[in-house]
Structures are given as structure tokens and as C-alpha cells.
Amino acid sequence: MFTFGELIVILVVVGIVAGIVSTAAGLASLVSYPVLLALGLPPVMANVTNTVGLVFTSFGAVPASRRELRGHGQELKTLIPLTLVGSIVGAILLFIIPAATFAKVVPFFILIAGILVLIPRHIHIKQPGEIVVTPKWMTALAWLGIFLVGAYTGYFGAAGGVLMLSILSFTSAAPFVVYNAQKNLALGLANIVSAVVYGLQTPIQWRYVLPLGIGFLIGGSLGPRIVRHLPARLLKIVIGIGALGLAASLFKSAYGL
């Protein structure tokens, strides 16, 4: 059993690493969620703690991503509302669906996200002044996907970034570094909404959240800067493999494999 001081150090360090991984790859859960489970928190409480802590990530990531977000307000006008509405629905579902069911369905979501990220996708990058016409059915499908990712984020904050990246990798005409920044902003706002809903439903474990949040804040400010200097394809491979590894781990713990 750790002392309170040791617990703080562990959570801050975990938060820094998870914050970098979250903003660079959308995989904070690969680091923070398993650690919270190992520290003795039950699955739903670990998820609540992780999501509330992730709020701090956006305070570091969004200011560090201003360069990538500039000039993309039109996309964000669609991305943010759909994500926020979905996150409210998902956060409410977390307290309706039994915890045992929660633990068993999460690995499937993460497995699908990892596979989608690894699928090669060659998208034409829109040039200044160029008009790109997207079929209405594809637009509607993309909007539904974003809403569902928002709902998933509200239901299970961990790995929501991977799901959002998997959707945007198929729908966005922007480079990875840009839609990764959009993901950080949209899911950061979604995490804030989810945290408010969680706070109305269950006590928040602040002794875990605050040190984890400090680490998330530091790591969140570093992640976008790291992304600018790494090849997009390399990041996607790391994200996909990490998601598959996390899914395998959660399958093992949920189904006793």
C-alpha cells in the first residue's frame, strides 16, 4: 500500500505520461486507466476519475495547438456541438448500464478503434481556395460517427481520442496534426461536460483527480508540440498497436482469458 505522498508522485508522473499520449495519440487510457485500476479503484470509478482528470489536459493542449486550430473554425462548428451532445448522452448512460456490463463492452470499442486507425487511408489534402464536394450520405454518416464518439467519450472517457481520430482520419481533408488538434479541443470540452454530469451522479475522488490532473496539464501542453515533429504514419501505427494492446489487456481482465 502506498503512502499519500507516494500516491501523489505516482499519479503526477502517470498524468504527465498519459497527458502526452492523450494529446499526441488519444491513448491516455493506455497509461492512466490501468494504473487507476491497479491502485484499487473499481472500473466505473476509475473511469470517472480518469475523465475528470482529463479535463486538465485540454487546458494544456488547446493553447499549445493554436497554430493548428487557426483557420479551421468551420469544421469545429460541426465537430464540437455533435461531440458535446453525444457526451451528455454517454455520461448519463454510464450510471444506467450496470458496471459489469460496462467492463465487458469497453474492450470491443477500443479494439475497433485500433483497427480503424491502422487501416491505410489516402485523403486528398484540400488546397487554399479549392472546393471539395462531399456526398450528403457521407456527411450524415460522419456526423453520426462523431456523435457516437462523443457518447462513447461521455460513457468511457478513456480511448475516446482513438475513436475520434479513427473517424477524422476517414472524414477530414486536413493533415493529421490539424485534426489531432481538433480532437483535443472537442474531446476536452466533452470531458468537461461529462465531468459535470459525473459530479451530479457520484462523489469525485479528488485525492486521485488533482495530482493526476496536474500531470495531465503538464503532459497536455507537451503532446501537441511533440506531434509537430513526428511522422503522421508512425503516430498512427503507434496509436493502433497501443489500442490493440490495451483492448487485449481489458479483454483478459473482463473475461478472465
Side-chain angles (χ1 to χ4, degrees), residues 116-123 138 169-171 233 236:
L116 288 176
V117 170
L118 287 172
I119 295 175
R121 179 68 173 171
H122 301 288
I123 295 179
M138 188 177 294
S169 69
F170 275 80
T171 61
R233 187 57 191 158
K236 289 182 180 181

Side-chain angles (χ1 to χ4, degrees), residues 163-176:
L163 284 166
M164 183 65 81
L165 285 175
S166 68
I167 295 293
L168 294 179
S169 69
F170 275 80
T171 61
S172 178
F176 175 84

Side-chain angles (χ1 to χ4, degrees), residues 151-241:
Y152 172 80
T153 301
Y155 179 70
F156 182 60
V162 178
L163 284 166
M164 183 65 81
L165 285 175
S166 68
I167 295 293
L168 294 179
S169 69
F170 275 80
T171 61
S172 178
F176 175 84
V177 67
V178 172
Y179 66 75
N180 181 65
Q182 294 173 346
K183 174 266 297 180
N184 288 336
L185 174 58
L187 293 190
L189 294 173
N191 284 329
I192 292 174
V193 171
S194 300
V196 171
V197 176
Y198 292 168
L200 295 174
Q201 298 286 337
T202 187
I204 304 296
Q205 300 293 320
W206 291 108
R207 71 186 188 116
Y208 291 91
V209 169
L210 291 178
L212 188 65
I214 291 171
F216 274 137
L217 177 64
I218 297 171
S221 66
L222 296 175
R225 295 178 171 88
I226 293 173
V227 168
R228 291 177 189 142
H229 303 288
L230 293 177
R233 187 57 191 158
L234 173 62
L235 280 170
K236 289 182 180 181
I237 291 173
V238 171
I239 293 167
I241 293 175

Side-chain angles (χ1 to χ4, degrees), residues 90-180:
I92 294 172
L93 286 177
L94 178 65
F95 298 98
I96 297 175
I97 298 175
T101 303
F102 170 84
K104 290 183 181 295
V105 300
V106 163
F108 289 97
F109 285 116
I110 300 176
L111 175 63
I112 293 170
I115 293 172
L116 288 176
V117 170
L118 287 172
I119 295 175
R121 179 68 173 171
H122 301 288
I123 295 179
H124 174 69
I125 304 301
K126 182 178 178 181
Q127 301 300 318
E130 181 182 1
I131 298 176
V132 178
V133 179
T134 304
K136 291 183 179 179
W137 68 267
M138 188 177 294
T139 300
L141 192 61
W143 287 0
L144 175 62
I146 292 169
F147 169 80
L148 291 176
V149 171
Y152 172 80
T153 301
Y155 179 70
F156 182 60
V162 178
L163 284 166
M164 183 65 81
L165 285 175
S166 68
I167 295 293
L168 294 179
S169 69
F170 275 80
T171 61
S172 178
F176 175 84
V177 67
V178 172
Y179 66 75
N180 181 65

